[in-house]
Amino acid sequence: MTLKAGAVAALVSLGVTALVLAGVRGHAIDSREERTGEAALHVIHLIRQDRLPMLLPGDGGRHLQVLDERGAVVAATPRVRDRPRIAAFLPAGERVYDRRVLCGAAGLDGCLQVTVFRVYRPEGDWIVYAAHPVVPWYVSAALAAFLIMLSLLVSLLAAMRTWRAVNATLAPVDAIRAELAEITATRSGRRVPVPETRDEIRLLAETANATLDRLDAALERQRRFTAEASHDLRSPITAARTQLEEALLHPGDTDWPRVGRSVLDSLERLQAIVTDLLELARLDAGVQPEARGRGAEEVDLAALVSAELERSPRGCKRVVPQLQYGVRVRGDRLRLARLLTNLLDNAERHAAEQITVTVRAEGDIAIMEVADDGEGIPVADRELVFQRFARLKAARDRDEDGTGLGLPIARQIAKSHQGTLTIEDSRKGARFVLRLPRRT
């Protein structure tokens, strides 16, 4: 961190140095151009008054040359008096002046900023060249050296101060690191020490403790989920084993077809639980449809509902579809069908006579509702039914073989499609509302 602070200070100092040099250089360029331009205008004034001397005054850095209509040098500053013309370019077209940078002009050292003026004379136009050395990027060696030394001093001071601050700051960080190193999945419940100072380290410690709180809660949910899953998996296995053991005790008196059907029922329940657990694992892991051999596509929710109702009738319960076609979403058709099936299965268990399926659009939101005319779900239990293996007493009484995973899977599918699945108020029964981003 000290090195980084020193590097940042050096970069900032170099940036400020560059800005200072640019400003000073700009001022120097303007000053030189102004003085050279004034000298050239004075020469032009003398030409027009026919008082032009052969030797023009110069300051050593500024050069002036006057050429007559034949191109002969008739006046110049001392250093270019006996030299060839400074430049060969002239103002283009009707222009009276032009400017260029030339290097090695008239045998002079370095590069010059050369300005040419056209002066009207009856016998022909005269040319005035005014030149001065180009200002280097560093302006002057003394100024550049001073700014570089100042930048180095600022960088050194910033690095030293950062080093002292880091040493004082990292002491509580080391204590936090040591505590975090001791925390494992089997030794959770510990928290990092919170320093008394009110600074970023205290915020870090408080954030770390809040994260550990969430991790402990997640671990507790995982342990509870594992226990509940183990219990639900063990129940059909135990039932099948008990029936087989009883049958084997009296093989001659056993109705083997009946035993086989009972064991098959237990295996089907076991298979349903395992299938739901695998689907939840895929959804929790964020497995995308492409990773499972399917691509996301545009799905018309009304067409999906119609196809599902036609494929799987709902027995003695009457299903009333209220569908608005053209409400499209983008997603995995099979997962969305699974979500709809889970909602319909749940509604069929609780409906008295009728299930209503609605598809409509609200702006850029696609909505699908599945409502039944049963007893409904109390407000306090509306989130409970989305917990895994959670089954209300009414659900257990109506269907002892349910897994308690249908609604959690439906909500996870909704989340994987950037949507929501909630239970909302209705005049009678339960109303499940799915909201997904609409494709327009």
Side-chain angles (χ1 to χ4, degrees):
M1 188 174 294
T2 301
L3 292 176
K4 288 181 179 179
V8 170
L11 290 175
V12 172
S13 299
L14 289 176
V16 173
T17 299
L19 292 175
V20 171
L21 288 176
V24 173
R25 183 172 182 269
H27 178 74
I29 290 174
D30 292 341
S31 178
R32 288 191 182 184
E33 289 181 350
E34 182 180 358
R35 291 198 304 270
T36 302
E38 289 177 353
L41 291 175
H42 179 67
V43 170
I44 293 172
H45 178 68
L46 294 177
I47 293 173
R48 289 175 175 171
Q49 291 186 343
D50 292 326
R51 295 190 299 109
L52 180 67
M54 294 181 62
L55 182 62
L56 301 175
D59 61 0
R62 183 173 64 248
H63 310 290
L64 298 170
Q65 264 187 356
V66 181
L67 281 63
D68 61 14
E69 70 277 3
R70 298 186 304 274
V73 177
V74 296
T77 53
R79 290 196 60 186
V80 294
R81 180 180 180 185
D82 298 325
R83 294 178 181 270
R85 58 193 294 173
I86 293 177
F89 71 95
L90 298 173
E94 299 298 324
R95 297 185 61 185
V96 297
Y97 81 97
D98 198 358
R99 179 179 296 162
R100 296 183 186 178
V101 175
L102 302 177
C103 296
L108 299 172
D109 297 331
C111 296
L112 301 175
Q113 178 79 51
V114 181
T115 305
V116 59
F117 296 88
R118 190 196 306 273
V119 183
Y120 172 76
R121 299 285 291 174
E123 65 276 12
D125 293 342
W126 285 27
I127 300 299
V128 177
Y129 288 105
H132 63 267
V134 173
V135 180
W137 65 268
Y138 53 86
V139 183
S140 69
L143 177 62
F146 171 76
L147 292 175
I148 291 174
M149 293 299 295
L150 182 61
S151 298
L152 292 176
L153 179 61
V154 170
S155 301
L156 180 61
L157 291 175
M160 292 179 61
R161 185 168 182 83
T162 302
W163 180 74
R164 294 178 60 185
V166 168
N167 277 348
T169 302
L170 291 184
V173 174
D174 187 64
I176 294 173
R177 180 203 57 77
E179 186 66 25
L180 288 174
E182 296 293 327
I183 297 175
T184 63
T186 57
R187 299 179 61 187
S188 59
R190 303 177 63 167
R191 296 296 180 267
V192 301
V194 179
E196 296 181 359
T197 57
R198 295 188 176 276
D199 54 11
E200 288 77 5
I201 303 301
R202 180 185 179 91
L203 294 177
L204 173 64
E206 292 174 347
T207 303
N209 286 336
T211 301
L212 291 173
D213 289 339
R214 292 192 296 271
L215 288 176
D216 281 347
L219 286 173
E220 180 59 29
R221 288 195 300 269
Q222 183 182 29
R223 295 188 187 102
R224 187 168 60 250
F225 172 75
T226 302
E228 292 169 346
S230 300
H231 176 270
D232 276 57
L233 289 171
R234 187 167 57 248
S235 297
I237 296 175
T238 302
R241 180 184 179 90
T242 300
Q243 291 170 339
L244 289 175
E245 287 177 346
E246 290 179 355
L248 290 174
L249 289 175
H250 307 282
D253 299 332
T254 299
D255 184 355
W256 287 103
R258 181 185 62 80
V259 173
R261 288 191 296 271
S262 298
V263 172
L264 183 60
D265 291 340
S266 297
L267 293 177
E268 287 177 348
R269 172 171 167 74
L270 182 63
Q271 182 180 17
I273 296 174
V274 172
T275 301
D276 287 345
L277 288 174
L278 289 174
E279 182 64 18
L280 277 174
R282 293 190 188 100
L283 292 169
D284 288 341
V287 177
Q288 299 300 319
E290 292 81 1
R292 298 174 59 192
R294 304 194 303 272
E297 58 182 309
E298 285 196 4
V299 180
D300 188 323
L301 289 182
L304 180 71
V305 172
S306 297
E308 185 62 27
L309 293 179
E310 183 178 351
R311 184 186 66 84
S312 178
R314 292 291 118 183
C316 61
K317 305 296 172 64
R318 185 166 63 96
V319 179
V320 179
Q322 299 176 353
L323 309 178
Q324 175 185 340
Y325 285 86
V327 180
R328 297 180 176 274
V329 298
R330 185 166 183 81
D332 182 354
R333 181 182 295 273
L334 293 183
R335 280 185 173 175
L336 292 173
R338 175 71 182 275
L339 184 154
L340 174 62
T341 301
N342 288 0
L343 294 181
L344 289 174
D345 290 344
N346 179 77
E348 186 175 11
R349 283 193 294 269
H350 298 279
E353 297 178 354
Q354 178 177 303
I355 301 171
T356 303
V357 182
T358 305
V359 173
R360 69 179 189 276
E362 288 185 0
D364 57 353
I365 301 297
I367 297 178
M368 181 174 69
E369 298 181 1
V370 177
D372 62 68
D373 59 351
E375 297 178 358
I377 300 175
V379 176
D381 295 332
R382 288 182 180 179
E383 284 300 313
L384 177 63
V385 298
F386 290 110
Q387 296 181 10
R388 298 169 187 186
F389 295 106
R391 304 187 68 206
L392 302 181
K393 182 178 184 303
R396 290 194 298 268
D397 294 341
R398 292 175 179 271
D399 184 8
E400 296 181 355
D401 295 329
T403 65
L405 296 174
L407 294 179
I409 289 175
R411 172 167 278 190
Q412 283 295 98
I413 293 174
K415 288 183 178 180
S416 70
H417 286 74
Q418 291 76 51
T420 61
L421 177 62
T422 57
I423 303 175
E424 300 187 3
D425 294 335
S426 61
R427 288 181 296 179
K428 186 177 182 181
R431 183 168 68 101
F432 288 79
V433 181
L434 170 70
R435 289 181 172 85
L436 297 174
R438 182 187 176 194
R439 298 286 292 184
T440 55

